[in-house]
Amino acid sequence: MSSLSALTIHELIDLLDRGVCSSEDVVTEVLSAIDARDERVGAYLDYDAEGALAAARSADDARSKGAERILPGIPIGIKDVLNVKGDTCRCGSRILEGYVSPYDATAVARLRQAGALFLGRLNMDEFAMGSTNENSAFQITHNPWNLEHVPGGSSGGSAAAVAAGEAVAALGTDTGGSIRQPASFCGCVGLKPTYGRVSRFGATAFASSLDQIGPITRCVRDAALLLGIMAGRDPLDSTTVEVPVPNYQEALADDLKGMKLGIPREYFVEGIDKEVEQSIRKAIRLCGDLGAEIVEISLPHTEYAVAVYYILATAEASANLARFDGVRYGARDEGHDPMDLYVKTRARYFGPEVKRRIILGTYVLSSGYYDAYYRRGQKVRTLIRRDFEQAFQECDAILAPVAPTTAYRLGEKIEDPLQMYLGDIFTIPASLAGMCGLSVPCGFSDAGLPIGLQIIGDAFREDRVLRVGYAYEQSTEWHKRIPPIRDDEGGR
Amino acid sequence: MMAQESSKNTRHIDVAYVAQLARMQLSDKEVPLFQDQLNHILHHVDTLMRLDVDDVEPTSHPFPGENVYRDDEPREGLAHEAAMKNAPKTRAGFYVVPKILE
Amino acid sequence: MTRGAGDLMDYRVTIGLETHVQLKTQTKIWCGCRNRFGQPPNTDVCPVCLGYPGTLPVLNRESVRLTVMAGLMLGCRINERSTFDRKSYFYPDMPKNYQISQYDEPLCLGGRLEIEVNGRKKSIGITRIHLEEDVGKSIHYEQSSGVDFNRAGTPLMEIVSEPEIESADEAFAYLTALKQVLLYGGISDCNLEEGNIRSDINCSVRPVEREELGTKIEIKNMNTFRGVHRSLVYEISRQINVLNDGGSISQETRRWNDETGVTEAMRTKEYAHDYRYFPEPDLMPVVLTREQIEGWRATIPELPGDRRARFVREYGLSEYDAGVLSADRNVADYYEEAARASGHFKAVSNWIMTDMLHAMSEGAIPIQEVKITPGALAGLIDLVDRQVINRPSAKRVFTILFEKGGNPADIVEQEGLSQVRDTESLETYIDEAITAHPQSVSDYRSGKKAALKFLVGQVMRLSKGKADPQMALEMLRERLDTG
């Protein structure tokens, strides 16, 4: 018998509709998967089994009385950076120890309104700063495909939980690749929406001009479903845009006839893992077979993207993280005056990567360096944005690798921050340009680690990237593979 | 935006000073470690100096937009008790900090 | 310490003011919490104004309108595109440890404010006006401090003057004129006790013969105009004394001690400071169209100076009276309504200047809450004019109108205050007065004219104050001169 915890949201909705199972059954099985595997995976920081079961029972009750919800009692995992009313929200940091959120993030509120329930907090790199989850202040998360490897980051807990069958779907946030890269490393589907598509209200800010909330799921259709619920203008976030939200599921099709897909020449250069390159090339050929026209394009400023990103993101972060001072919430170390309180609290409760980035961000904004770094970074950002605008004159979507390699071994890059940053070279440019990007499984390395195909779309054209991702997914079997840790399921 | 000379050596970062600006006390181990790592990162960042960006407008928001307002209408806030529950230290409805000396 | 005026004459004083004004909105600048004073600590707060993780600011439309209105009233150029920036500094009353403000694209640039000191008129330049958020407030205990964030996020407008103020008196006049304009425009309540207006002072002195400015001293956070004046008087003489003694001024921030009446150097900060301004990514630019700005301009009320001149021109009032009546927009409105209803411009001015303002200050009642309507005041003046009532009765009617409101004619009737002007009744009172005071009659006839006044008084007494005193006088004189 196939485990409920292994199904997609769409499959579960079908079973719930037909009365084959209840929401309580689903939650029970997800909880038992967590029980069985999370000791090894380490995806959850904490979860409320009793609360989730109670919420599931009340969803079942509502359904029996005729309530119609899009996500009737579907449990969704939440990255620790998102505020859920009544839950902790530590952002993977000790500095938010003790904080209980008094409000729902808008994306969370919209999912809740649609009937979803939230069973726990998923691990992440502290304040979303990292690509491996090794920067979490609390625990290491392991890649379900090989526990010696990282799940990616910063939404590593979210991707690992979905891959390990410990969550039906999860929310992550993506600033420079933090949804797409862990989805790729864990063999999931991950969608970073266009900047302004999903409200950031309630997502603890890392870099305000880059952050976006998005889904990590088992299939493209589920990502389309969740995006459709979360997307749209929010009066609480001034950067959300008044662009109509299409029915993303209706945009899905089995072929790619009439679509032009661009292959950026700068993304296939030295340094990219051979196995990764082969998988991507194969995926591109398959898209051609599905009817797409494949064209070569150029994104000439790609090589500058990481530098721009580490100026702008850290600068914004240095201000965003100033509020963690031990006065209104969170952890605190006493001092003899307020400044002493700040320096002690922040020194003690921020981890090394967060400190490093706050220092870099403070530096690039400081007197004498603003023009040389911050302002120049903003200007090069314009050049990168123009690269994409030009590219989308020539194609409907861009196909590229998500990352140059498969998941790193634990500890492999922790000593060399620059090498770690350069691993985000393929996801950062689209983030800087504000474009949307989807990660879809497209193969495995000989070592059995997943490889992800990145589909980058023009602003507010999530419908197109989802269509490409769906057509590709439906003509392959990669997304049906399950990691060895799920051998206890007995297959699907 | 600010009148600043960019002639300074952009590659040297005084980590201890900048950490103080950011109100963080670094340990004796952290200072040289960060100094090294950040200089390394800044060396990479200096690749940007190769580009001529004199005539390029800076991007602050990924997409243009303007005039996003809320109406001047009251909205329910946070109950006092709820706000104070998260506070590490309170007294008589106030958040408590070490004595502020101006 | 104080020196002769001669010293002062050898120096030129340069003062610039940065004035923070809380705007009169219903809610805070970024969130729907109420903008009000006097609530228990931390009760007008929400996750946004407490700087909770994940929260975002959304700009209050009204705060933009009020700032632009202030700019228009001060003759500023309104930036069609204006943006917000983050200004970083750590302080316990600052929830996010950065303040959202405007750095290089403020809402308003370049304006002027007319002031008058000792009858001499002068125009002070306004450099800029920008919009930002206020911070919380702290109280101090023995060992610790307490912070209240009710005020955090109150919309705050910073008005920066050009360094064109040259004395403590001018600084005082500038703030007084500024307050008047802001009250006229309904921009702020300008309540000093509630901290609606707070100024930072920049002040330097230099010998008259020197071109370049002297070293600038900053005096922070002054919340009364009198304090600004006193601190400047002190600070100017302090700086001159230092220079006279051959010393030099070092740039520093000082604090005014209102009790001891001196400025004191603030402890130098042991921590480095750098505001690190950068564009606020959470807010979009404000872009105002010409039409929008012109639409707002059309709603600007007449400014106090213009109104004062018009009062002189249109109603024939003295400069002084026009000044008093135009100082407060509500008083001026009241005056105009009553003057137009009555037509007796001077009489209306007299009533307001004496009886009304006196009664108002006595009872601490603002003119908006006064019960006597402008129409009733005009009616009362009309009754006096038509000699229906005499002056003393009119004062009584005024008192009743002020306390209870109503129609003056009704009150005259209820109180039986109509003047007695029929000769028959007056003859009766005159007979009675003459009979009762033969001595006065003979005094008058022997040339003591003062006796006539006494007899008129007797008539008034007998008539219970209702006799027309002028008629009584004339009839008495006729009787005594002929009889």
Side-chain angles (χ1 to χ4, degrees):
Chain A
M1 117 130 217
S2 112
S3 164
L4 292 174
S5 67
L7 302 182
T8 66
I9 297 176
H10 279 88
E11 289 164 342
L12 287 173
I13 290 174
D14 180 53
L15 294 182
L16 289 161
D17 278 354
R18 291 193 283 121
V20 177
C21 71
S22 66
S23 172
E24 187 178 356
D25 298 337
V26 176
V27 171
T28 305
E29 292 216 14
V30 171
L31 287 170
S32 68
I34 295 172
D35 259 356
R37 302 169 202 148
D38 206 48
E39 209 168 302
R40 284 168 290 162
V41 176
Y44 281 90
L45 290 172
D46 57 51
Y47 60 94
D48 175 10
E50 284 314 305
L53 285 167
R57 281 191 289 269
S58 100
D60 286 333
D61 194 39
R63 190 170 47 250
S64 73
K65 288 179 182 143
E68 286 188 25
R69 295 291 187 81
I70 307 171
L71 301 172
I74 302 289
I76 290 177
I78 299 291
K79 186 179 181 181
D80 198 32
V81 78
L82 298 171
N83 281 268
V84 175
K85 189 172 180 170
D87 286 1
T88 58
C89 177
R90 292 180 296 179
C91 305
S93 181
R94 289 172 64 214
I95 209 162
L96 271 168
E97 203 80 76
Y99 169 69
V100 176
S101 180
Y103 76 102
D104 271 348
T106 298
V108 167
R110 288 183 179 180
L111 291 176
R112 196 192 285 284
Q113 186 64 34
L117 51 92
F118 311 104
L119 56 77
R121 313 290 306 174
L122 292 164
N123 195 29
M124 58 185 281
D125 288 297
E126 184 174 4
F127 288 108
M129 295 177 178
S131 313
T132 63
N133 262 36
E134 291 164 300
N135 295 331
S136 165
F138 303 112
Q139 65 198 33
I140 297 286
T141 298
H142 300 263
N143 192 313
W145 294 91
N146 183 333
L147 299 174
E148 299 299 306
H149 287 252
V150 303
S154 66
S155 308
S158 299
V162 172
E166 298 179 28
V168 176
L171 293 190
T173 57
D174 189 313
T175 306
S178 281
I179 287 174
R180 289 161 288 167
Q181 185 254 28
S184 168
F185 281 11
C186 292
C188 306
V189 170
L191 173 63
K192 183 207 92 86
T194 307
Y195 185 82
R197 179 76 294 185
V198 174
S199 170
R200 294 182 292 117
F201 187 78
T204 307
F206 161 17
S208 311
S209 75
L210 295 155
D211 296 344
Q212 272 291 294
I213 298 173
I216 293 178
T217 58
R218 297 211 169 96
C219 68
V220 173
R221 185 176 284 279
D222 282 1
L225 171 67
L226 295 183
L227 177 66
I229 294 167
M230 296 188 291
R233 162 102 183 107
D234 175 17
L236 299 176
D237 176 359
S238 311
T239 61
T240 53
V241 182
E242 204 87 55
V243 173
V245 179
N247 184 326
Y248 293 113
Q249 295 176 80
E250 277 176 7
L252 306 179
D254 288 327
D255 64 61
L256 297 174
K257 290 194 183 91
M259 289 199 88
K260 241 184 185 179
L261 300 178
I263 313 303
R265 132 177 10 117
E266 293 80 4
Y267 283 46
F268 295 90
V269 288
E270 223 179 303
I272 181 169
D273 188 297
K274 278 280 157 277
E275 285 178 306
V276 171
E277 180 167 0
Q278 277 166 15
S279 290
I280 302 297
R281 297 254 183 231
K282 243 169 97 183
I284 293 167
R285 279 198 294 279
L286 181 53
C287 288
D289 295 344
L290 288 167
E293 183 190 342
I294 307 295
V295 295
E296 196 188 48
I297 57 155
S298 173
L299 297 167
H301 295 94
T302 301
E303 63 173 308
Y304 302 105
V306 171
V308 170
Y309 178 82
Y310 278 93
I311 293 173
L312 302 183
T314 58
E316 291 180 17
S318 72
N320 283 329
L321 270 59
R323 69 190 64 198
F324 302 108
D325 61 5
V327 175
R328 284 145 291 119
Y329 44 74
R332 157 168 172 148
D333 243 19
E334 282 305 334
H336 54 75
D337 66 20
M339 290 305 156
D340 193 43
L341 169 93
Y342 299 154
V343 297
K344 284 184 177 153
T345 298
R346 292 162 63 80
R348 176 158 170 198
Y349 297 105
F350 278 144
E353 180 63 19
V354 171
K355 286 183 191 169
R356 200 152 40 224
R357 294 202 197 187
I358 288 176
I359 291 170
L360 181 57
T362 303
Y363 175 69
V364 298
L365 288 174
S366 67
S367 174
Y369 299 97
Y370 183 90
D371 285 339
Y373 288 123
Y374 188 77
R375 194 169 164 83
R376 178 168 285 262
Q378 283 192 310
K379 287 179 165 194
V380 182
R381 185 177 187 180
T382 305
L383 298 178
I384 290 166
R385 202 163 48 98
R386 285 188 198 152
D387 284 355
F388 279 92
E389 284 165 6
Q390 178 59 39
F392 287 120
Q393 302 279 319
E394 297 160 30
C395 64
D396 299 311
I398 294 167
L399 298 183
V402 174
T405 65
T406 52
Y408 320 128
R409 294 189 78 81
L410 280 161
E412 185 181 331
K413 302 228 173 183
I414 200 80
E415 299 302 328
D416 189 344
L418 180 60
Q419 281 315 306
M420 179 89 88
Y421 297 172
L422 289 171
D424 296 332
I425 180 67
F426 299 144
T427 46
I428 280 175
S431 291
L432 289 169
M435 305 297 167
C436 56
L438 180 71
S439 172
V440 185
C442 73
F444 285 84
S445 67
D446 290 346
L449 288 165
I451 296 166
L453 169 69
Q454 184 178 203
I455 305 155
I456 301 168
D458 201 354
F460 303 100
R461 293 317 302 259
E462 284 83 356
D463 56 336
R464 284 186 182 156
V465 301
L466 288 164
R467 181 182 161 188
V468 175
Y470 181 78
Y472 174 80
E473 175 192 79
Q474 292 304 303
S475 62
T476 60
E477 297 286 315
W478 308 117
H479 66 292
K480 292 185 181 163
R481 285 211 196 169
I482 58 166
I485 197 162
R486 277 164 65 182
D487 285 348
D488 54 354
E489 266 168 22
R492 287 167 73 181
Chain B
M1 171 157 181
M2 269 172 281
Q4 290 158 359
E5 68 268 56
S6 46
S7 58
K8 293 190 188 176
N9 177 3
T10 47
R11 215 172 300 157
H12 179 76
I13 171 168
D14 181 348
V15 164
Y17 168 76
V18 178
Q20 203 191 50
L21 280 183
R23 304 294 181 250
M24 292 187 299
Q25 209 166 48
L26 297 186
S27 69
D28 293 346
K29 269 196 211 137
E30 283 171 320
V31 174
L33 177 67
F34 289 176
Q35 186 88 53
D36 219 44
Q37 291 169 328
L38 290 172
N39 279 337
H40 194 44
I41 291 164
L42 285 169
H43 183 71
H44 172 74
V45 166
D46 281 346
T47 55
L48 297 186
M49 305 303 164
R50 296 205 297 253
L51 289 167
D52 176 8
V53 290
D54 287 353
D55 299 323
V56 182
E57 275 298 302
T59 293
S60 292
H61 294 98
F63 304 111
E66 60 205 31
N67 297 335
V68 183
Y69 299 113
R70 40 173 281 273
D71 289 328
D72 186 23
E73 284 159 7
R75 220 181 110 112
E76 180 123 18
L78 199 53
H80 176 72
E81 294 69 28
M84 301 323 274
K85 217 164 61 187
N86 267 319
K89 203 169 175 185
T90 66
R91 173 170 169 179
F94 289 87
Y95 292 93
V96 170
V97 294
K99 184 139 183 157
I100 302 169
L101 299 167
E102 282 152 295
Chain C
M1 190 83 194
T2 327
R3 300 251 180 157
D7 285 340
L8 191 55
M9 301 293 290
D10 297 336
Y11 289 92
R12 290 185 63 175
V13 176
T14 305
I15 299 164
L17 293 175
E18 289 165 18
T19 307
H20 296 89
V21 179
Q22 290 182 334
L23 299 176
K24 191 175 174 173
T25 54
Q26 292 285 308
T27 62
K28 294 186 179 182
I29 187 167
W30 316 125
C31 62
C33 286
R34 286 200 177 268
N35 169 15
R36 58 183 168 186
F37 182 85
Q39 299 298 304
N42 297 305
T43 52
D44 280 331
V45 290
C46 77
V48 175
C49 57
L50 287 173
Y52 268 41
T55 58
L56 299 169
V58 184
L59 179 58
N60 183 338
R61 187 190 302 276
E62 180 69 357
S63 66
V64 173
R65 188 188 71 87
L66 290 173
T67 305
V68 171
M69 283 295 284
L72 291 171
M73 292 171 76
L74 293 168
C76 294
R77 182 163 59 74
I78 307 304
N79 261 331
E80 285 179 40
R81 185 191 146 90
S82 170
T83 52
F84 290 91
D85 299 280
R86 291 186 183 176
K87 177 185 184 181
S88 285
Y89 65 96
F90 283 76
Y91 208 78
D93 60 14
M94 179 79 77
K96 303 181 290 297
N97 287 320
Y98 60 82
Q99 181 187 32
I100 304 177
S101 181
Q102 298 193 287
Y103 185 70
D104 53 3
E105 296 180 297
L107 278 166
C108 317
L109 283 171
R112 302 216 75 82
L113 180 62
E114 307 302 320
I115 62 166
E116 192 177 320
V117 177
N118 302 326
R120 202 173 65 85
K121 289 195 173 150
K122 182 174 174 180
S123 164
I124 305 291
I126 306 283
T127 314
R128 55 183 271 158
I129 308 177
H130 67 251
L131 181 57
E132 61 186 25
E133 58 183 322
D134 207 344
V135 299
K137 262 196 279 202
S138 26
I139 60 158
H140 303 291
Y141 304 118
E142 195 68 14
Q143 302 290 334
S144 60
S145 298
V147 189
D148 168 17
F149 290 103
N150 285 347
R151 194 178 73 176
T154 298
L156 198 66
M157 171 173 79
E158 181 173 329
I159 304 173
V160 181
S161 86
E162 288 291 320
E164 295 172 356
I165 299 166
E166 292 171 299
S167 69
D169 286 350
E170 285 185 12
F172 188 86
Y174 169 87
L175 289 170
T176 308
L178 186 63
K179 176 180 168 185
Q180 228 177 51
V181 168
L182 298 175
L183 277 173
Y184 254 68
I187 310 295
S188 171
D189 283 327
C190 296
N191 189 328
L192 299 185
E193 285 80 44
E194 295 181 0
N196 291 166
I197 305 184
R198 312 189 301 268
S199 298
D200 296 337
I201 306 170
N202 287 305
C203 168
S204 67
V205 303
R206 63 179 148 143
V208 278
E209 66 277 8
R210 263 229 340 242
E211 277 295 314
E212 69 271 35
L213 293 177
T215 308
K216 193 170 74 178
I217 294 293
E218 191 173 13
I219 310 172
K220 282 273 197 198
N221 216 8
M222 305 295 304
N223 46 24
T224 66
F225 296 176
R226 213 174 85 86
V228 169
H229 189 265
R230 288 179 64 208
S231 66
L232 275 170
V233 168
Y234 174 85
E235 182 61 22
I236 290 165
S237 102
R238 183 189 73 86
Q239 290 184 25
I240 289 174
N241 285 339
V242 170
L243 296 177
N244 272 348
D245 293 347
S248 65
I249 304 291
S250 53
Q251 187 153 355
E252 62 182 353
T253 300
R254 298 178 73 86
R255 182 199 6 236
W256 170 244
N257 185 330
D258 204 62
E259 276 156 40
T260 55
V262 302
T263 63
E264 299 154 346
M266 284 171 77
R267 204 179 54 164
T268 39
K269 301 199 171 73
E270 20 182 322
Y271 291 91
H273 258 273
D274 186 338
Y275 287 138
R276 311 194 294 281
Y277 281 101
F278 74 100
E280 168 57 271
D282 289 333
L283 291 168
M284 302 310 281
V286 172
V287 176
L288 300 169
T289 61
R290 277 282 127 218
E291 298 79 66
Q292 203 171 1
I293 295 167
E294 291 315 310
W296 283 338
R297 195 193 297 280
T299 67
I300 295 181
E302 189 181 18
L303 294 181
D306 298 340
R307 203 163 197 187
R308 174 178 171 177
R310 187 168 58 79
F311 279 9
V312 172
R313 203 170 59 236
E314 210 166 286
Y315 301 116
L317 302 182
S318 70
E319 278 278 346
Y320 176 78
D321 289 4
V324 173
L325 289 175
S326 61
D328 178 325
R329 183 182 174 184
N330 293 310
V331 172
D333 286 347
Y334 188 100
Y335 169 73
E336 288 218 79
E337 204 180 328
R340 283 180 184 148
S342 156
H344 297 279
F345 305 150
K346 184 70 189 152
V348 173
S349 160
N350 288 343
W351 275 101
I352 294 175
M353 298 270 295
T354 54
D355 301 82
M356 182 85 102
L357 293 180
H358 179 74
M360 276 163 54
S361 80
E362 197 105 298
I365 302 162
I367 195 142
Q368 305 94 290
E369 286 166 31
V370 158
K371 294 216 171 74
I372 173 168
T373 64
L377 181 63
L380 176 62
I381 290 166
D382 180 56
L383 292 175
V384 178
D385 185 56
R386 288 194 290 113
Q387 301 181 317
V388 175
I389 52 176
N390 58 30
R391 234 0 252 174
S393 299
K395 295 238 180 211
R396 251 185 84 192
V397 175
F398 178 87
T399 307
I400 294 165
L401 283 170
F402 190 86
E403 276 163 11
K404 298 183 184 145
N407 181 333
D410 294 347
I411 292 166
V412 168
E413 190 166 326
Q414 280 156 27
E415 302 284 316
L417 292 172
S418 293
Q419 283 196 113
V420 176
R421 306 191 72 232
D422 61 303
T423 41
E424 203 173 315
S425 307
L426 286 174
E427 289 291 358
T428 319
Y429 295 132
I430 287 167
D431 288 346
E432 217 174 305
I434 288 173
T435 318
H437 301 285
Q439 185 58 44
S440 296
V441 172
S442 54
D443 283 355
Y444 175 77
R445 287 187 174 141
S446 62
K448 288 186 184 164
K449 298 296 174 198
L452 185 65
K453 242 192 180 158
F454 172 79
L455 289 168
V456 171
Q458 292 308 305
V459 171
M460 294 308 291
R461 195 178 60 80
L462 291 166
S463 72
K464 300 199 169 70
K466 290 188 293 187
D468 180 331
Q470 196 56 37
M471 272 182 82
L473 178 84
E474 277 157 26
M475 285 172 68
L476 256 171
R477 187 187 289 138
E478 199 183 313
R479 265 283 275 294
L480 298 179
D481 289 352
T482 56

